Amino acid sequence: MSAATDERIDAYPSRLGGPATITERHDPVVHGSGDGPLDADVVQSYADDGFIVLEGLLAPSEAAELNAEIDRLAADPAVRGRPEAIVEPDSDTLRSLFAVHDLEGPLGAIARDPRLVGVARQLLGSDVYVHQSRVNLKPAFRGKDFYWHSDFETWHTEDGMPSMRAVSCSVLLTDNTSWNGPLLTIAGSHRWYVSCEGETPANHHEQSLRRQEVGTPDDASLAELYRRGRIAQCLGPAGTVVFFECNIMHGSNSNITPLPRRNVFQVYNSVENALEQPFAAPAPRPHYIANRRFDPI
Amino acid sequence: MSAATDERIDAYPSRLGGPATITERHDPVVHGSGDGPLDADVVQSYADDGFIVLEGLLAPSEAAELNAEIDRLAADPAVRGRPEAIVEPDSDTLRSLFAVHDLEGPLGAIARDPRLVGVARQLLGSDVYVHQSRVNLKPAFRGKDFYWHSDFETWHTEDGMPSMRAVSCSVLLTDNTSWNGPLLTIAGSHRWYVSCEGETPANHHEQSLRRQEVGTPDDASLAELYRRGRIAQCLGPAGTVVFFECNIMHGSNSNITPLPRRNVFQVYNSVENALEQPFAAPAPRPHYIANRRFDPI
């Protein structure tokens, strides 16, 4: 669907040939009453900063079980050959594996775990489903950086997610320290929408998941978001769970240390925010990147 | 001079075709009496960890004056075209400029500053001279990582530095935080020497200063050094000065943040440790990388 024939109202235009702009978000950050398992001050912190770090939400034994399952998958050449597997640009090492919420065993179970789903329901004010899930492996010694981006900008333009009513949940499976390439956010940046220059090429996901170019914010916008906010690192031992808002600007530096960094990640979207046609891409992305079964968990 | 005709005793063989090994260092870390401007507990910390961080050694106005001088040099295309200038692999941005201790003005003055030279004399137990100096600019947004290495391994093999009796001094000219690609060390690793595989090709410095390959320690040795020590970050506001031992394993992650990182760096070597012929390279490196005028400061 091209911009010219698309008569929908696009609250968050991007990649439509215009210049980069910073505009206020139109959606609430915390949807609904805000009632649920999190205390009010934690919800407020999420509203203010755009993320929360819940240390100890999972027991070490649970993190170990998930790690063992990922080791098993990463060692399997058949898994690395799947379309939902992304390997490092310079090697055959598994970097990400998508759609892990659909797998049998502990990876499927963690995506449906009431401790995580309860938080997502609280923040989104409705039933939720998994929009996307993956495991991320940042190897020791040669882990690449991942440049700043807003997930929502991609989900809106490429997947047709209409509104900012989704939350990402990252379960840390190794100790995340300040020196092994942890998640960096610009705290407060979720309140602003940065539109991107350029247009989405066909089959963009085939290269963007390895090294993103279109959908990358410009330097001036990033510097301005930083001026309005601050850099925050999401740190914690294995078993820590980080929730971050779909529009927060985030990324990570490289990892030269001997400690790999690993997490399992699922995006909960409100069932009231189901995907439509892409707002700025030639065709929807595959189902293993952007799930189109919207049944509540 | 080839290994076959070189009859010198080589206390630290590397790049001679053998496998990677970890051996104990033969030299003291603190040479001589250890008397000088630093308190005994600071000297002990240097002996134990291989580095010290001296916050506030320079006033903010002094850092600002050095920054202004570097801005002036980095903006000058004639400077970027000098052999002693190294530009980023993917752009024409200045990454390093060597031999800045030879320049007029604040960069020459800081290399001779008694606050820095006094510490070097204390740690090395003798008069000192500048073996190498440079400014390092890690740009915002796209600053590349710098992989683990021991400076001494290179200075020994390529420059003919016989013993471990040199200290690097890094003057931080921007705030160095845990998230903008600060200096990482493996604390304690200076007590071990990691020999490297491979052999030094001719004119190695022409590419190694952009992206090092020969002289890079192997994964198993790095993991073992980490097991024996710990990762430490050298952080502080502009004006902080870091001294680190010539054999400590160090490197840095990338910098995607909007804050550039910049320092001026000089290596003080003992006048009793003057360079000889390279121990494992076809020819000495240029004078702007490895100074062969050994007059004391």
Side-chain angles (χ1 to χ4, degrees):
Chain A
M1 185 178 293
S2 76
T5 61
D6 191 343
E7 300 193 351
R8 293 176 294 176
I9 291 171
D10 183 352
Y12 297 109
S14 184
R15 309 191 197 178
L16 295 174
T21 55
I22 303 182
T23 52
E24 275 193 66
R25 81 183 270 148
H26 306 300
D27 299 300
V29 177
V30 177
H31 300 257
S33 68
D35 292 336
L38 299 176
D39 290 342
D41 60 329
V42 178
V43 174
Q44 188 61 49
S45 163
Y46 175 84
D48 292 344
D49 291 339
F51 69 94
I52 47 175
V53 178
L54 305 176
E55 197 171 318
L57 195 63
L58 264 65
S61 61
E62 294 177 291
E65 185 188 9
L66 288 162
N67 267 322
E69 175 70 356
I70 294 168
D71 286 341
R72 192 184 68 74
L73 293 166
D76 185 344
V79 170
R80 292 201 301 275
R82 289 183 193 165
E84 54 266 38
I86 311 296
V87 297
E88 288 283 340
D90 306 330
S91 74
D92 186 42
T93 310
L94 189 68
R95 172 172 172 165
S96 298
L97 180 66
F98 280 80
V100 291
H101 71 285
D102 277 339
L103 300 179
E104 304 282 326
L107 286 165
I110 195 68
R112 297 185 302 270
D113 192 291
R115 291 169 295 179
L116 308 186
V117 176
V119 170
R121 289 174 53 94
Q122 180 176 10
L123 297 172
L124 303 180
S126 69
D127 278 339
V128 302
Y129 73 97
V130 174
H131 165 63
Q132 181 188 99
S133 70
R134 60 177 190 260
V135 294
N136 292 313
L137 298 89
K138 177 167 280 201
F141 302 119
R142 278 165 286 277
K144 300 290 185 299
D145 50 26
F146 208 107
Y147 200 66
W148 298 111
H149 61 288
S150 153
D151 287 330
F152 178 77
E153 193 275 341
T154 291
W155 300 338
H156 181 70
T157 55
E158 299 197 30
D159 300 338
M161 185 182 284
S163 299
M164 296 180 183
R165 195 171 175 182
V167 62
S168 293
C169 168
S170 177
V171 179
L172 310 188
L173 297 179
T174 54
D175 294 350
N176 278 233
T177 71
S178 61
W179 37 263
N180 69 342
L183 178 67
L184 302 181
T185 70
I186 303 181
S189 63
H190 61 302
R191 292 194 294 266
W192 309 95
Y193 183 66
V194 178
S195 67
C196 296
E197 296 176 350
E199 296 188 11
T200 313
N203 296 315
H204 182 230
H205 67 277
E206 289 176 8
Q207 66 88 3
S208 70
L209 298 175
R210 288 165 177 246
R211 199 163 274 166
Q212 183 151 357
E213 301 202 350
V214 177
T216 299
D218 62 300
D219 293 2
S221 297
L222 287 171
E224 177 60 21
L225 289 181
Y226 173 71
R227 199 188 63 76
R228 299 180 188 184
R230 64 187 166 84
I231 304 279
Q233 300 177 103
C234 297
L235 310 179
T240 298
V241 179
V242 179
F243 285 87
F244 57 102
E245 210 278 336
C246 61
N247 186 49
I248 197 168
M249 199 60 77
H250 64 287
S252 62
N253 281 321
S254 63
N255 178 24
I256 66 166
T257 79
L259 268 75
R261 197 178 67 94
R262 185 185 278 190
N263 61 54
V264 57
F265 172 88
Q266 45 262 331
V267 181
Y268 297 107
N269 189 26
S270 168
V271 294
E272 298 171 18
N273 194 34
L275 302 190
E276 302 175 359
Q277 287 299 301
F279 282 85
R285 298 195 295 178
H287 66 90
Y288 56 83
I289 300 178
N291 178 20
R292 288 180 179 270
R293 290 172 300 163
F294 311 123
D295 314 303
I297 297 172
Chain B
M1 183 178 294
S2 75
T5 61
D6 191 346
E7 301 194 351
R8 293 176 296 177
I9 291 171
D10 182 353
Y12 298 109
S14 185
R15 310 190 197 179
L16 295 173
T21 56
I22 303 182
T23 52
E24 275 193 66
R25 78 183 273 148
H26 307 300
D27 300 300
V29 177
V30 177
H31 300 257
S33 68
D35 293 336
L38 298 177
D39 290 343
D41 59 330
V42 178
V43 174
Q44 189 60 50
S45 163
Y46 176 84
D48 292 342
D49 292 337
F51 70 93
I52 47 175
V53 178
L54 305 177
E55 196 172 319
L57 196 63
L58 264 64
S61 60
E62 294 178 291
E65 185 187 9
L66 289 161
N67 267 322
E69 175 70 355
I70 294 168
D71 286 340
R72 192 185 68 74
L73 292 166
D76 185 343
V79 170
R80 292 202 302 275
R82 289 182 193 167
E84 55 266 38
I86 311 296
V87 296
E88 288 283 339
D90 306 329
S91 73
D92 186 43
T93 310
L94 189 68
R95 172 173 173 163
S96 299
L97 180 67
F98 280 80
V100 292
H101 71 285
D102 277 338
L103 300 178
E104 305 282 327
L107 286 164
I110 195 69
R112 298 185 300 273
D113 191 292
R115 291 169 294 178
L116 307 187
V117 176
V119 170
R121 289 173 54 94
Q122 180 175 12
L123 297 173
L124 303 180
S126 70
D127 278 339
V128 301
Y129 74 97
V130 174
H131 165 63
Q132 182 188 99
S133 69
R134 61 175 190 262
V135 294
N136 292 313
L137 298 89
K138 178 167 281 201
F141 303 118
R142 279 163 286 277
K144 299 289 185 299
D145 50 25
F146 208 107
Y147 200 66
W148 298 111
H149 61 288
S150 153
D151 287 331
F152 178 77
E153 193 275 343
T154 291
W155 300 338
H156 183 70
T157 55
E158 300 196 30
D159 299 338
M161 184 181 284
S163 299
M164 295 180 184
R165 195 173 176 182
V167 62
S168 293
C169 169
S170 177
V171 178
L172 310 189
L173 297 180
T174 54
D175 294 351
N176 277 234
T177 71
S178 61
W179 37 260
N180 68 343
L183 178 67
L184 302 182
T185 70
I186 303 181
S189 62
H190 60 302
R191 293 195 293 267
W192 309 96
Y193 182 66
V194 178
S195 68
C196 297
E197 297 177 349
E199 297 188 9
T200 312
N203 296 316
H204 183 228
H205 67 277
E206 290 177 6
Q207 64 89 2
S208 70
L209 298 176
R210 288 166 177 246
R211 199 163 274 166
Q212 184 152 358
E213 302 203 350
V214 176
T216 298
D218 62 300
D219 293 0
S221 297
L222 286 171
E224 177 60 21
L225 289 181
Y226 173 72
R227 200 188 63 75
R228 298 179 188 184
R230 64 185 164 86
I231 304 279
Q233 301 176 104
C234 297
L235 310 180
T240 298
V241 179
V242 180
F243 285 88
F244 58 102
E245 209 278 336
C246 60
N247 186 48
I248 197 168
M249 200 60 78
H250 64 287
S252 61
N253 281 322
S254 64
N255 178 24
I256 65 166
T257 78
L259 268 75
R261 198 178 67 92
R262 185 184 277 190
N263 60 56
V264 56
F265 172 89
Q266 44 261 332
V267 180
Y268 297 106
N269 189 25
S270 169
V271 295
E272 297 171 19
N273 193 34
L275 301 191
E276 302 175 359
Q277 287 300 300
F279 282 85
R285 297 195 295 178
H287 65 89
Y288 57 82
I289 300 178
N291 178 20
R292 288 178 180 270
R293 291 172 302 165
F294 311 124
D295 314 304
I297 297 171

